[in-house]
Amino acid sequence: MAEVDIRNACPDCGAKGRKVKRITPECLLVPAAKKRLETAGVLRFCNSESCEVVYFGDGPGSRFTIDEVTVPVFQKSKDPLRLVCHCFHHSVQSIYDEVAETGESKVPESIAEKCKAGLDRCEQTNPQGSCCL
């Protein structure tokens, strides 16, 4: 088994975190948590569903939990109303409803079309800092 670089590992669960640009937590953290970003260093996203940590860094005070994020984090929630796509507000439930009604979902095509038109804001709206597709 490959070793995980401790700087890349979530301090709570040990999962490898993926780097996120600072703009993502700047847009999504509650004001009190944003103040700690100054000393957080390189920020990473923890996608482990059983872990309370959303972002962590290599600096002091750089552990940010689900209670400090202003939107539900898809990977850390089971709520059917959680958003799959934060830019265009597609929830798990809305996709289930569409499939139940029509037998398929056009959501991926719709998202791709809107992204191609430059209407997305994934780094500012999606806690993982990237497109849901």
Side-chain angles (χ1 to χ4, degrees):
M1 187 166 119
E3 289 186 39
V4 174
D5 183 339
I6 190 108
R7 295 168 299 174
N8 299 340
C10 174
D12 282 26
C13 71
K16 182 179 179 182
R18 191 176 55 71
K19 280 186 184 179
V20 292
K21 292 182 180 177
R22 191 161 294 275
I23 186 74
T24 303
E26 283 175 352
C27 289
L28 298 175
L29 288 174
V30 297
K34 283 183 195 181
K35 292 177 183 176
R36 299 195 326 266
L37 283 173
E38 291 179 21
T39 59
V42 175
L43 290 162
R44 297 184 180 280
F45 175 78
C46 176
N47 69 355
S48 176
E49 67 183 51
S50 61
C51 185
E52 295 284 312
V53 172
V54 178
Y55 304 111
F56 61 93
D58 52 10
S62 61
R63 181 182 163 276
F64 303 93
T65 64
I66 57 174
D67 295 334
E68 297 175 300
V69 179
T70 59
V71 297
V73 179
F74 178 85
Q75 293 86 341
K76 299 179 183 289
S77 174
K78 297 290 184 203
D79 186 341
L81 296 177
R82 72 190 183 279
L83 294 178
V84 173
C85 175
H86 289 265
C87 294
F88 308 114
H89 307 285
H90 296 290
S91 70
V92 171
Q93 188 64 55
S94 68
I95 294 169
Y96 284 154
D97 292 346
E98 181 185 17
V99 170
E101 187 177 311
T102 67
E104 63 181 339
S105 175
K106 300 284 187 186
V107 167
E109 293 89 352
S110 171
I111 294 170
E113 183 178 300
K114 290 176 181 177
C115 288
K116 188 175 180 179
L119 301 174
D120 59 310
R121 295 184 51 236
C122 304
E123 289 179 346
Q124 294 91 3
T125 62
N126 187 340
Q128 69 182 2
S130 61
C131 186
C132 60
L133 292 179

